Amino acid sequence: MADDTVQLMVTCLVNEIAPEVGRATVRVLESAGCTVGFPEGQTCCGQPAFNVGLVEDAREMAKYTLDLFDDTEGPIVIPSGSCAAMVIKHYPEILAGTEYEEKATRVADRARELSSYLVADRELTGFDSVCDGCTVGIHQSCHGLRSLGLKDEVDQLVSSVAGATVVPIEGADECCGFGGLFSVEMPEVSAAIMRTKLDRVEESGATVLVAGDISCLLHMEGGLRRRNSDISVRHFIELIGGEDFT
């Protein structure tokens, strides 16, 4: 197994709604010297089912994903803190005591959230991307922060972008209000949390808002568009992957 071989678990939201994030992920990984594999037939990791208590459905989706990735080589890189948390933390839990227990542990041990892989595993914080005049605010998504223990990985990556100035957002580590099906089941509470978050984003002076989860970004972008805001909303990998926000 070559040390620079990785597998991309693209996630269903990236695949269906934000394919540009998947393309940027491949560009960055390849620029870092990685050979990127992409197992065909990927589907949902099972996190939505798990979050609403449909554990048996989540197990079946987990088994499918495990069968897909267990025969591959190298780290499994995931551009989503929430999906990475599902694979790393919850697959071993929901499959403990089953015939998939060892497979779940093997795959969990190989899985890496994207920013963590770039900073901790590859020790990369410098890229050739440019964002002249960009003022960047960073939202810390809940699963990455609380489930995976991520800290300032995205900050380090974004700070390396030429021309970008990172500005603090008050309560950057607080929930944006999405919370998966929480936003559907309790829309008034979800919207109230989002309004507070967006007030703070606007107060920060950021012209670009980045995070590591498409779900959070979609939620906040919808709120900003309803405010007729000009703030650009992007996954952090798009910024360091050479997208033009000037």
Side-chain angles (χ1 to χ4, degrees):
M1 181 183 70
D3 291 341
D4 59 356
T5 297
V6 301
Q7 305 298 327
L8 174 60
M9 184 182 290
V10 75
T11 81
C12 53
L13 279 182
V14 169
N15 188 62
E16 299 298 330
I17 298 175
E20 63 277 4
V21 172
R23 291 192 290 268
T25 300
V26 172
R27 283 199 305 273
V28 170
L29 290 171
E30 289 181 341
S31 74
C34 297
T35 299
V36 183
F38 184 80
E40 295 185 4
Q42 296 184 45
T43 185
C44 180
C45 67
Q47 182 204 166
F50 177 76
N51 286 346
V52 296
L54 299 175
V55 179
E56 191 53 45
D57 291 338
R59 282 196 190 98
E60 292 306 308
M61 286 183 270
K63 290 176 182 179
Y64 175 85
T65 300
L66 290 169
D67 287 339
L68 203 62
F69 280 91
D70 190 46
D71 289 335
T72 64
E73 296 183 336
I76 300 165
V77 181
I78 309 172
S80 162
S82 57
C83 296
M86 183 66 188
V87 175
I88 296 169
K89 297 292 186 179
H90 299 304
Y91 275 14
E93 293 174 356
I94 64 176
L95 292 166
T98 74
E99 70 277 13
Y100 274 78
E101 181 175 5
E102 291 185 5
K103 189 176 289 190
T105 299
R106 284 196 301 270
V107 170
D109 287 344
R110 292 170 53 206
R112 302 287 188 274
E113 185 275 337
L114 178 58
S115 70
S116 177
Y117 176 73
L118 293 173
V119 174
D121 290 56
R122 301 288 294 196
E123 298 183 348
L124 296 171
T125 55
F127 297 88
D128 294 331
S129 50
V130 177
C131 190
D132 285 335
C134 289
T135 304
V136 183
I138 299 170
H139 165 68
Q140 297 183 15
S141 300
C142 292
H143 281 93
L145 183 68
R146 295 173 175 84
S147 293
L148 299 178
L150 301 182
K151 297 178 181 178
D152 62 349
E153 288 85 352
V154 173
D155 300 64
Q156 291 185 55
L157 293 166
V158 171
S159 295
S160 74
V161 176
T165 301
V166 177
V167 294
I169 298 174
E170 182 184 354
D173 59 349
E174 296 176 9
C175 181
C176 68
F178 178 66
L181 292 181
F182 167 79
S183 62
V184 177
E185 296 174 343
M186 304 185 71
E188 295 85 2
V189 178
S190 172
I193 295 171
M194 180 182 65
R195 284 194 294 270
T196 298
K197 170 67 68 173
L198 297 184
D199 287 345
R200 292 171 172 175
V201 171
E202 291 179 331
E203 290 165 1
S204 75
T207 59
V208 182
L209 174 64
V210 304
D213 270 276
I214 286 297
S215 54
C216 300
L217 292 169
L218 288 171
H219 184 63
M220 293 186 289
E221 183 174 27
L224 287 168
R225 295 299 161 261
R226 287 188 288 275
R227 294 183 177 203
N228 296 313
S229 173
D230 292 328
I231 296 174
S232 179
V233 180
R234 293 291 187 274
H235 193 285
F236 74 85
I237 200 67
E238 295 178 85
L239 196 64
I240 67 171
E243 292 288 340
D244 183 7
F245 301 117
T246 57

